[in-house]
Amino acid sequence: MYARSLPSLDRLGIALSGLCVVHCLATSVLLALMSAAGGVLGSPIFHEAGLLLAIVLGAVALGRGAVAHGLLLPVAIGSLGLGVMAGALTLPHDSSETLATIFGVALLAGGHWLNHRGCAEAGLA
């Protein structure tokens, strides 16, 4: 039962990564169209809370997966993605932040996908 929840956490991580990409793109568009809506979605606390959620979910899902199937590549790629996402918080609120965040999210989603695949190949899915 413990190992069976691993793929579910990875699917959740991939889904949240997708939502993050949608958020980043929507924020950029909304900033260009409506500064009031962009002010809410572009708030630093929104990004910090999202990064915290990504770190917690990534640590749990990728860490448990590494213990279950023994592969470190998903953890390495996912951690790199989290690092890029954290680094994006230091950039000015412009297209560079958006691109860095999307790149980090894509790396994190790739780590979750590799973790999910590792669990499936180990018969844990």
Side-chain angles (χ1 to χ4, degrees):
M1 177 143 151
Y2 169 79
R4 294 229 181 254
S5 67
L6 294 175
S8 297
L9 288 174
D10 288 312
R11 284 192 292 268
L12 178 61
I14 292 167
L16 288 174
S17 295
L19 286 174
C20 183
V21 169
V22 169
H23 161 74
C24 289
L25 294 174
T27 299
S28 295
V29 169
L30 288 174
L31 276 171
L33 298 176
M34 303 170 13
S35 62
V40 173
L41 293 175
S43 169
I45 192 69
F46 193 86
H47 291 120
E48 292 163 5
L51 179 61
L52 179 63
L53 179 64
I55 289 171
V56 170
L57 182 63
V60 172
L62 296 171
R64 287 173 58 181
V67 169
H69 54 61
L71 301 174
L72 294 180
L73 184 62
V75 175
I77 291 175
S79 297
L80 178 61
L82 288 170
V84 171
M85 289 166 62
L89 289 177
T90 66
L91 298 173
H93 271 316
D94 60 13
S95 60
S96 63
E97 179 199 21
T98 301
L99 291 174
T101 302
I102 290 172
F103 181 65
V105 166
L107 285 171
L108 179 57
H112 280 298
W113 180 77
L114 288 171
N115 198 49
H116 178 72
R117 209 172 100 192
C119 287
E121 289 174 2
L124 304 173

